[in-house]
Amino acid sequence: MKIRDVSYHVEIEGKGEPLVFLHGFTGSSLSWRHLINDFRNYQLIFIDILGHGKTDHPSDPSRYKMEEVVEDIIEIFNRLTIDKAHIVGYSMGGRLALSLAALYPHRVKKLVLESSSPGLYTCEERNHRIKSDQALAEEIVRGGISRFVDKWEKIPLFSSQMMMSDSQKNKLREQRLLNTEIGLSNSLLGMGTGSQPSWWDELPNLHISVLLLCGELDQKFCEIAKRMHERFPFSVLKEINQAGHAIHVEQPRIFGKIVIEFLNEDKSLN
């Protein structure tokens, strides 16, 4: 699908209310395929975010700015004649989902944010993160995908994934290796946590039902989720036992059950 001069890979399954899935950094639409049966009553839309999977990876980092990628997603909605959709976003995809909700709240029905954040609050935090992301981006280009994935799999954020089966870990690794050096490095530079707008002050203005998910073994993002929960007018916070950052991978049955219950709940959440 050609979107604003970029070729996007979009997969659509089933019929019903539109439910959009946005993956994390180094992921793709493949990250969600094991959950399809949990959401069979919805029209499932899986998008490879710019620079990931089978979507193009432009050479200009500015094309990856969060606001630019939000415009891409909105154009995908328009092409598919989607007025409003439920959106599930994980980590980087959660930041993208929240950015879309902040800029286009009328296009979002319900929002599910898994291990996500609204960005960084202070300029000092953002500048520090931009520098570290720039260093990592250079390392990806210099060392190649395989070496980067070796390092990425070992960061503390994903330590809980060591408890997964070898087949699960191998499948996750294969998905990460499908990405390109330029796509991942430019994604960091353009829509990294430091580069994106900070939405903390916008959260009280978002009158959308939000489900916040975090894994008990990922205390950093559980603390962020608690702070977000205090600011959102309508949100539910669920801390998932025996899970770290990637709940949908580590505890997929629990993830599917909680999300589907949230989507099926008609009333606004307090």
Side-chain angles (χ1 to χ4, degrees), residues 74-92:
I74 289 297
E75 182 58 24
I76 291 172
F77 279 23
N78 293 341
R79 292 283 189 88
L80 298 177
T81 64
I82 294 171
D83 182 41
K84 298 179 76 170
H86 302 295
I87 305 180
V88 178
Y90 160 64
S91 199
M92 177 191 76

Side-chain angles (χ1 to χ4, degrees), residues 185-219:
S185 61
N186 280 348
S187 179
L188 277 174
L189 296 174
M191 60 183 296
T193 309
S195 300
Q196 73 156 74
S198 174
W199 302 116
W200 282 104
D201 290 338
E202 292 297 317
L203 301 188
N205 301 321
L206 279 176
H207 294 271
I208 298 168
S209 291
V210 182
L211 173 62
L212 299 164
L213 297 174
C214 67
E216 66 166 348
L217 304 176
D218 182 13
Q219 280 304 302

